[in-house]
Amino acid sequence: MFVLRNVGKFFLGDTSKESLLELEKGQLYLVRPLSPKGYSELIFKDAAARIRKTGQEFQYQLVVQRAYEEGEEELLDDEEGENADTSALAERDEKTFLLDESLHFRSEIREGGEKVLAWRDLSGDTGDLYEFVCDISISTAQVQQFETIAVNCQYERKHRKNHQYATEAELDKFVFDNEQPIPSASPIHSPAQSPTMASVTSSTALKNSANSALKREKVHKREDRLSQGPVKDEAPTEAPKVVEHPEAISILAEETAELHLFDFSSGSFLIQDTAIKATVSEVGKWRYWLQITGTQRDWLGQEVIADINPVFNFEYLSFIFNAYTPDNQAYSWLLRFKDQPTIVRFQEGLMQALWEQLNEIKWNKSKEDDRDYVLEAFQDLTMEDAYPEEEEEEEEEEEEDEVEDDGRKSEHYDSDEDDDDLITRDDDGNINSQLAVGYKHDRSFVVRGSKIGVFKHTPNNTLEFSTNISKVETPKGKLFSPQKVMLHAEDTNLILQNEADPNSLYRMDLEYGKVVDEWKVHDDITVNTFAPESKYSQMTGEQTFLGLSRNALYRIDPRLAGNKLVDSELKQYVSKNDFSAAATTDKGYIAVASNKGDIRMFDRLGINAKTHIPALGEPIIGLDVSADGRWVLATCRTYLLLIDALQKEGKNEGKLGFEKSFGKDSKPQPRRLGLTPAHVAQFQHETGVPLSFTPARFNIGEGSTETSIITATGPFVVTWNLKKVLRGSKDPYAIKRYSEEVMADNFRYGSDKNVVVALPNEVNMVKKQEFKKPTRESIAIPTRVGGSFGGRRSEGGRIGTRGSARYKLGKDDIVESPY
């Protein structure tokens, strides 16, 4: 007797993950007919195949799940131990594939009645196939129905609408019955035959006997298709309709180039026109337009805005960008120019348009150094002092060797929960919004409305619920939802900002779980954001910290009587600088960014900035600095900016921009970190929402070196490998997709291998090894976060148990135990 490892029913109690159809018994093989690695590998001796909905509309998965003999599963679990990697366990128990036309999913009924499903191994070599060989108990009708549903699912994924609206001809495009016969999963060949020759012989022998299980009512339809010539495997992405372009006031650039369009199905750029005219023009007050016109047709028109994500590659004389349809669908385009002078002229015109649109200042009124800085930031370049490639390879090997972590990094579901008891939302509609990761005591604090959840980081890199602070209220008893939070004084205090009171901050004593002090900063100067005195000051008993208003930078000392602003250390500007973020180094050097997009570097408070870095245009919403002050990391909505603050020439060579001003002939070297336009288009194609990064962070740990960057946009967490970035590698980032928007994220203190992620209703710690290179599948398929994070609601309003990461206190609970 065989039993399936049933994990699907624990998905938050959500029927969106339900199976559409299941073939209950068969064997899964990986067949490599052309590979020297070996011909065939049995993956699951006993398994079931099913088609399953995902949490995303029009997205479906083909799932092959292992079945166990009675007692076999428990035996395997005992062998692997309690601390086995759950991602490895999931891989052990099932294989999951996004139902997409690139799989070339098909079926076959062979002589003797053997029924086989097959699909491409997209991560393998050419010709590699997965084959599900059905048990004799599975009928032909079941296989036909299974393939029919698979065809419908592929149609819905591609066209984003119900298959009931499809014509038979449209559905036929997903029936790959003109493929070569499916090779046998267990070929028998003589010792004299090579695997490759055996597979060719086997294919030839089968050619006349192979039949698709999915037959149309009229056989002549298939014959008609074949007589018309070969059918394309997948229809390439077509250019969308061109919107009407506005009248040009002036021309900023006009050049000839080749035009290529990114094809979602093949994952490559396909040439559309060998000679187009690309024109950048001014069309209104601070409005600019990019028009692409061929000899036969207009190809596209796009307003020049930050979301086009421009990337110039001078090595390949190419410019890649995104364009958007009126319904917000993203397409990625590539222009290839004939020579370097041509691409330089075009870059200057386009960047002038983008910069003027963002800054509402004429390009020729800016300094020449500032213009060079902007142009350099949008180039695909390798920074100086890049790490040699060998070091990176060694690091990757070390990462692969680290297997002591537990894989999935969160409490899953309570063992005593029933499906009907699962809940995923608070009655008040609040969701997780802020995350503070502790340095001193291995705790993470998650703000959820007027509540704060406390989670313990365990030695084996999981999160364990510790306690819940159920009411955040002022000392006068007024409830509020913190807008910003910062751990302070050896993680014993949490500084909170109340949006309703911009001139004050509040101190929560974490031992008692309540706000004990209100700090009035100043009668006239507000607190828009705040930052620690130095990079690691929260590891110490340091009481002072930094505060920023829109046009002032100052020190806050809670020990002062009355207002807490230190008047002698106030730097106030007459003009509105619109400060938005700040960060400090280990020595207390200060970086301050603004909504205008510029950055100032100070060595101390109360004086003018040593270095002023010009704006690229987008507001800066987050800022971080490496401990030694070498690297400044700014977050904008659609990209990150990595700036090297070390001076490499001139009289201040070897000094940081925090310590000495950059000379006239020396300027900071910027590096714009963005997703490739093709990935942006795929992200938006899958989610329907534009990029919007959360504040990016370096990994942090006293005495350690920054090696990674973490941020998120929508349901994607993105991590950059700093060494790859500095070396100019083409694949410097990896992603992890969730089914919901990522609200906040940060590294665990002292490690770049584990990341704390706050989703609207879940908190997880994930291993960096679980991040994947952006591919069609890793972008499209959300990560399943273990099991349910809901729980049983008690009479007192409690959810779950204290062992659950979704635990919430009820009315009978109080916060009383120090952590």
Side-chain angles (χ1 to χ4, degrees):
M1 178 182 176
F2 294 94
V3 292
L4 285 171
R5 187 182 186 94
N6 190 354
V7 296
K9 70 178 182 179
F10 295 116
F11 280 98
L12 306 173
D14 187 356
T15 58
S16 67
K17 308 290 194 306
E18 66 187 8
S19 295
L20 303 180
L21 187 67
E22 180 176 331
L23 300 178
E24 294 180 348
K25 198 171 182 183
Q27 295 181 325
L28 179 67
Y29 292 86
L30 176 57
V31 181
R32 306 183 182 95
L34 306 176
S35 174
K37 298 176 184 176
Y39 183 89
S40 175
E41 178 185 353
L42 178 61
I43 306 297
F44 297 148
K45 180 181 177 182
D46 297 283
R50 63 168 61 95
I51 294 173
R52 183 174 67 196
K53 290 183 179 180
T54 70
Q56 303 291 315
E57 190 176 19
F58 305 129
Q59 307 293 326
Y60 303 88
Q61 292 173 326
L62 169 63
V63 180
V64 182
Q65 194 171 45
R66 180 178 181 175
Y68 292 92
E69 290 186 3
E70 193 168 352
E72 181 186 5
E73 180 184 4
E74 290 78 8
L75 182 61
L76 284 173
D77 287 341
D78 289 343
E79 288 176 356
E80 292 174 351
E82 292 182 358
N83 293 329
D85 189 327
T86 41
S87 60
L89 293 178
E91 183 73 9
R92 185 193 79 182
D93 293 328
E94 71 176 30
K95 297 282 186 181
T96 306
F97 310 88
L98 178 68
L99 260 178
D100 182 86
E101 58 186 330
S102 60
L103 291 179
H104 283 219
F105 180 84
R106 56 197 186 275
S107 66
E108 191 172 276
I109 300 176
R110 295 173 175 158
E111 287 185 353
E114 186 179 49
K115 295 169 280 290
V116 182
L117 304 174
W119 58 96
R120 288 177 174 177
D121 176 13
L122 299 181
S123 61
D125 298 327
T126 303
D128 289 4
L129 291 172
Y130 281 101
E131 295 185 20
F132 184 80
V133 181
C134 298
D135 186 75
I136 194 170
S137 62
I138 304 297
S139 68
T140 299
Q142 286 177 286
V143 176
Q144 290 173 339
Q145 186 183 10
F146 196 91
E147 188 176 359
T148 300
I149 291 177
V151 166
N152 295 342
C153 292
Q154 292 172 76
Y155 172 87
E156 291 189 7
R157 167 169 164 74
K158 182 168 184 177
H159 295 282
R160 302 269 173 169
K161 61 182 179 181
N162 195 292
H163 68 274
Q164 294 176 351
Y165 299 104
T167 65
E168 188 172 351
E170 289 174 328
L171 292 175
D172 279 351
K173 293 179 181 178
F174 302 93
V175 180
F176 301 99
D177 54 1
N178 61 330
E179 292 276 322
Q180 286 290 325
I182 300 170
S184 175
S186 302
I188 301 173
H189 45 270
S190 66
Q193 267 186 309
S194 70
T196 302
M197 288 301 297
S199 64
V200 172
T201 306
S202 176
S203 296
T204 305
L206 285 167
K207 192 149 192 166
N208 296 324
S209 62
N211 291 292
S212 170
L214 187 60
K215 292 291 186 180
R216 296 300 180 204
E217 293 178 3
K218 297 181 180 179
V219 177
H220 73 267
K221 289 184 178 180
R222 168 179 158 82
E223 294 170 346
D224 290 346
R225 279 202 307 275
L226 295 177
S227 66
Q228 292 168 2
V231 178
K232 289 185 179 181
D233 290 344
E234 301 171 19
T237 302
E238 295 182 359
K241 291 182 179 179
V242 184
V243 297
E244 187 174 343
H245 58 86
E247 184 100 16
I249 298 173
S250 63
I251 303 298
L252 279 66
E254 189 170 80
E255 303 293 344
T256 302
E258 280 182 4
L259 178 67
H260 302 249
L261 174 63
F262 183 79
D263 177 38
F264 289 107
S265 58
S266 66
S268 60
F269 283 93
L270 303 181
I271 191 164
Q272 306 293 309
D273 200 326
T274 56
I276 58 88
K277 183 170 66 176
T279 305
V280 180
S281 58
E282 183 178 5
V283 296
K285 187 175 182 180
W286 310 122
R287 289 190 63 220
Y288 302 86
W289 194 264
L290 171 61
Q291 188 70 29
I292 308 293
T293 307
T295 54
Q296 303 294 323
R297 58 167 287 185
D298 280 352
W299 282 101
L300 72 97
Q302 169 65 47
E303 187 166 6
V304 179
I305 54 176
D307 288 287
I308 67 173
N309 294 288
V311 175
F312 288 88
N313 188 305
F314 284 88
E315 181 182 356
Y316 296 101
L317 301 176
S318 64
F319 165 57
I320 305 175
F321 65 99
N322 285 37
Y324 300 85
T325 60
D327 62 351
N328 213 31
Q329 289 291 312
Y331 290 81
S332 188
W333 297 86
L334 180 148
L335 298 180
R336 180 167 284 120
F337 299 90
K338 63 179 180 179
D339 53 34
Q340 188 147 332
T342 306
I343 190 175
V344 168
R345 290 193 303 269
F346 183 81
Q347 185 204 29
E348 289 176 351
L350 184 93
M351 295 313 300
Q352 175 182 341
L354 183 59
W355 192 86
E356 290 183 5
Q357 187 270 329
L358 290 168
N359 292 279
E360 298 188 356
I361 300 173
K362 283 297 181 182
W363 180 252
N364 56 16
K365 290 187 177 180
S366 61
K367 297 177 182 178
E368 185 178 352
D369 287 348
D370 292 354
R371 293 199 295 270
D372 290 342
Y373 173 85
V374 172
L375 294 174
E376 195 173 294
F378 283 85
Q379 291 178 21
D380 226 356
L381 50 85
T382 302
M383 301 188 79
E384 296 179 27
D385 297 342
Y387 292 86
E389 194 158 350
E390 300 76 36
E391 290 184 18
E392 176 58 34
E393 289 171 355
E394 288 174 11
E395 182 200 38
E396 288 176 354
E397 289 174 6
E398 288 172 8
E399 287 183 4
E400 289 173 3
D401 290 340
E402 290 194 7
V403 294
E404 68 271 18
D405 292 346
D406 271 1
R408 190 69 53 209
K409 308 305 184 214
S410 176
E411 292 294 308
H412 295 290
Y413 49 85
D414 299 326
S415 59
D416 64 343
E417 288 176 2
D418 296 326
D419 293 345
D420 295 338
D421 294 326
L422 301 180
I423 63 174
T424 60
R425 299 291 184 272
D426 283 353
D427 294 338
D428 57 13
N430 286 318
I431 60 173
N432 298 332
S433 60
Q434 306 284 326
L435 170 67
V437 177
Y439 293 4
K440 189 81 172 179
H441 293 298
D442 260 341
R443 297 291 189 277
S444 283
F445 300 83
V446 179
V447 177
R448 186 183 183 88
S450 58
K451 306 168 189 171
I452 297 175
V454 186
F455 297 87
K456 178 183 178 182
H457 306 168
T458 67
N460 58 357
N461 298 308
T462 62
L463 287 182
E464 182 179 289
F465 182 82
S466 180
T467 191
N468 186 32
I469 300 168
S470 57
K471 284 186 178 182
V472 178
E473 52 189 13
T474 68
K476 296 178 181 178
K478 187 176 181 180
L479 204 67
F480 72 96
S481 299
Q483 297 302 303
K484 288 187 177 71
V485 296
M486 184 180 77
L487 286 162
H488 185 55
E490 298 182 280
D491 290 355
T492 59
N493 297 328
L494 191 63
I495 299 173
L496 312 172
Q497 184 183 42
N498 181 1
E499 192 174 33
D501 189 358
N503 295 81
S504 296
L505 295 173
Y506 296 87
R507 178 177 75 91
M508 173 176 282
D509 187 323
L510 291 172
E511 183 173 351
Y512 297 100
K514 66 178 183 178
V515 174
V516 293
D517 283 321
E518 177 181 351
W519 294 334
K520 183 68 173 291
V521 175
H522 197 275
D523 294 330
D524 302 315
I525 299 175
T526 60
V527 186
N528 291 94
T529 189
F530 43 95
E533 182 74 18
S534 64
K535 186 81 171 179
Y536 301 111
S537 62
Q538 83 177 60
M539 295 282 287
T540 71
E542 176 63 52
Q543 293 298 305
T544 63
F545 56 98
L546 307 182
L548 285 85
S549 70
R550 292 301 181 196
N551 67 329
L553 173 64
Y554 48 85
R555 177 165 280 111
I556 298 172
D557 189 345
R559 297 166 298 187
L560 294 177
N563 290 344
K564 308 302 180 184
L565 188 148
V566 181
D567 293 325
S568 61
E569 295 182 279
L570 166 66
K571 176 61 181 177
Q572 197 161 12
Y573 292 82
V574 177
S575 59
K576 280 195 173 182
N577 289 302
D578 206 5
F579 293 141
S580 58
T584 51
T585 71
D586 193 16
K587 291 183 178 179
Y589 298 153
I590 305 160
V592 178
S594 77
N595 284 318
K596 294 179 179 179
D598 59 345
I599 299 172
R600 288 173 170 82
M601 297 182 183
F602 303 82
D603 65 346
R604 61 187 185 276
L605 281 175
I607 62 169
N608 290 331
K610 296 290 186 184
T611 299
H612 179 241
I613 298 174
L616 294 184
E618 279 200 54
I620 294 175
I621 60 173
L623 199 64
D624 199 8
V625 185
S626 61
D628 62 3
R630 170 75 186 269
W631 304 104
V632 179
L633 179 65
T635 307
C636 299
R637 184 176 63 86
T638 60
Y639 61 86
L640 313 182
L641 194 64
L642 182 66
I643 300 163
D644 188 351
L646 183 65
Q647 303 186 50
K648 302 178 182 66
E649 56 188 7
K651 63 179 183 179
N652 295 326
E653 182 179 355
K655 295 290 185 179
L656 297 171
F658 294 98
E659 301 168 310
K660 296 287 185 180
S661 300
F662 278 82
K664 290 183 179 180
D665 299 327
S666 176
K667 62 181 183 300
Q669 187 179 17
R671 172 75 181 192
R672 179 180 175 274
L673 304 184
L675 306 178
T676 67
H679 290 156
V680 173
Q682 288 177 296
F683 276 33
Q684 193 152 338
H685 179 72
E686 292 294 337
T687 64
V689 295
L691 288 184
S692 184
F693 284 119
T694 58
R697 307 288 182 201
F698 291 115
N699 61 293
I700 188 169
E702 201 163 12
S704 63
T705 303
E706 290 81 2
T707 57
S708 301
I709 296 167
I710 195 76
T711 184
T713 174
F716 300 96
V717 185
V718 187
T719 178
W720 271 267
N721 182 307
L722 191 56
K723 290 183 179 180
K724 287 185 176 182
V725 168
L726 301 183
R727 200 172 58 230
S729 298
K730 300 303 179 186
D731 56 346
Y733 59 87
I735 68 166
K736 188 175 183 67
R737 178 177 177 175
Y738 289 90
S739 58
E740 294 183 288
E741 181 182 2
V742 177
M743 308 306 295
D745 51 275
N746 206 345
F747 287 105
R748 179 179 181 174
Y749 180 79
S751 171
D752 70 342
K753 304 295 189 294
N754 300 287
V755 180
V756 182
V757 178
L759 303 176
N761 299 285
E762 300 169 17
V763 185
N764 304 285
M765 187 183 288
V766 293
K767 186 165 57 176
K768 201 171 73 171
Q769 284 178 318
E770 294 181 30
F771 287 69
K772 300 177 180 178
K773 289 184 178 180
T775 63
R776 195 173 177 186
E777 189 150 283
S778 65
I779 291 172
I781 300 178
T783 297
R784 297 185 304 164
V785 190
S788 166
F789 289 85
R792 183 185 304 277
R793 184 181 292 280
S794 69
E795 292 181 0
R798 181 187 295 113
I799 302 172
T801 68
R802 285 190 177 272
S804 168
R806 282 268 303 143
Y807 177 77
K808 290 185 176 58
L809 294 182
K811 63 185 180 183
D812 299 327
D813 294 292
I814 56 172
V815 178
E816 59 182 1
S817 58
Y819 65 85

